[in-house]
Amino acid sequence: MSGAEDVDGAVRRWRVLSETAVLLDGFHALKHALRFGATVPAVLTSGKDAALALADELAPDVRARIAELALEVPAEALRGLVPRAHPTGVAALAVRPDRQAQLAVLAQERRPAPSVVLDNPRNLGNAGAVIRLAAGFGATGVVTTGSLDPWHPTVVRGAAGLHYATAVERLQVDELPAGPLYALDPEGKDIRSVTLPDDALLAFGSERSGLSAELRERADELIALPMRPQVSSYNLATSVGMTLFHWSTTSGRPAPM
């Protein structure tokens, strides 16, 4: 088989797989997905030597796997398969985790860490940043309500492939897992006076309209982040990061290392 036929076959296979697979956009998304057990049936790169050099520098733990999976294709061919070519010249497709397995993780009793609930989020990039934060803190999962797909390619790109490090699903408010729900709201109790339990659900309203009435009704307690007067709000990801940091320093658990 010629090199051209190899490339043509890889492109055809990519187009078939992409109908259901998760796009891992860039080297870092691929690195994280492999580290956290993703099944990755296709990896394309416009420069395999450069990709392996990155692996040598940043991810020697998955270098052999990338060397095995990666197929070099012309840059033009790669650009034709992805919405926006990543500067690292790497793109991959991964199998989305089974929904029932994800829901089982979210619903487990005695969860070891909180789950983050994004109530009707609007910004894809913000959702990705939150998932990246949640993965870094070892959160049990991230749940979105509303119409935003937390597995949208832009969200996955913003999370750098760390969807595979935590459970990520979309649910309705009445489908949320059991457990104490703490909702962030300016009218709430100062978070510094609250100890957040490990099995908490930490809910954050949308960037524009805040918490929905339905989620406020479901909340066990409203809590607020300290904020200087006349400052209207924090960025969503910043709010999540501050809240998870507060949990990590008051829960008695060692911080993830």
Side-chain angles (χ1 to χ4, degrees):
M1 182 180 293
S2 70
E5 288 172 331
D6 283 343
V7 171
D8 289 343
V11 168
R12 286 194 298 271
R13 182 167 180 264
W14 179 282
R15 293 191 188 282
V16 172
L17 290 170
S18 65
E19 294 180 3
T20 56
V22 176
L23 174 63
L24 301 175
D25 198 6
F27 175 83
H28 302 291
L30 171 62
K31 168 190 73 178
H32 285 139
L34 289 174
R35 281 178 174 167
F36 290 98
T39 299
V40 181
V43 178
L44 300 181
T45 175
S46 57
K48 187 168 181 176
D49 288 345
L52 293 179
L54 271 178
D56 287 332
E57 179 184 359
L58 302 174
D61 54 315
V62 294
R63 197 256 190 207
R65 188 72 177 128
I66 293 173
E68 174 189 356
L69 290 170
L71 176 67
E72 185 166 335
V73 298
E76 182 179 353
L78 186 59
R79 284 196 297 269
L81 296 173
V82 296
R84 179 163 54 115
H86 195 274
T88 58
V90 174
L93 295 174
V95 176
R96 180 167 173 168
D98 176 72
R99 176 174 168 82
Q100 293 307 313
Q102 298 274 85
L103 294 178
V105 170
L106 293 166
Q108 65 184 306
E109 294 184 9
R110 299 179 182 176
R111 291 187 295 271
S115 293
V116 174
V117 178
L118 302 183
D119 187 28
N120 198 25
R122 300 296 187 180
N123 186 288
L124 295 166
N126 279 348
V130 166
I131 291 167
R132 189 169 185 171
L133 273 166
F137 276 99
T140 295
V142 177
V143 173
T144 64
T145 70
S147 60
L148 183 144
D149 177 9
W151 286 85
H152 186 284
T154 301
V155 182
V156 177
R157 184 179 181 123
L162 283 163
H163 283 60
Y164 292 90
T166 189
V168 178
E169 282 295 336
R170 177 168 51 179
L171 296 170
Q172 300 304 314
V173 172
D174 61 3
E175 297 173 325
L176 291 175
L181 193 152
Y182 293 79
L184 274 290
D185 186 273
E187 298 177 4
K189 181 187 300 185
D190 190 321
I191 192 173
R192 292 170 292 186
S193 68
V194 177
T195 298
L196 299 171
D198 291 345
D199 64 346
L201 303 175
L202 306 176
F204 301 81
S206 71
E207 296 89 337
R208 285 190 177 181
S209 55
L211 296 167
S212 66
E214 186 179 9
L215 196 138
R216 284 178 67 96
E217 179 66 25
R218 165 72 169 78
D220 294 286
E221 189 160 359
L222 299 179
I223 55 176
L225 294 168
M227 187 181 303
R228 181 180 179 180
Q230 298 181 318
V231 175
S232 58
S233 66
Y234 294 119
N235 171 272
L236 176 61
T238 300
S239 297
V240 174
M242 292 171 71
T243 304
L244 286 173
F245 181 78
H246 175 74
W247 161 74
S248 73
T249 58
T250 59
S251 68
R253 297 174 71 251
M257 297 292 291

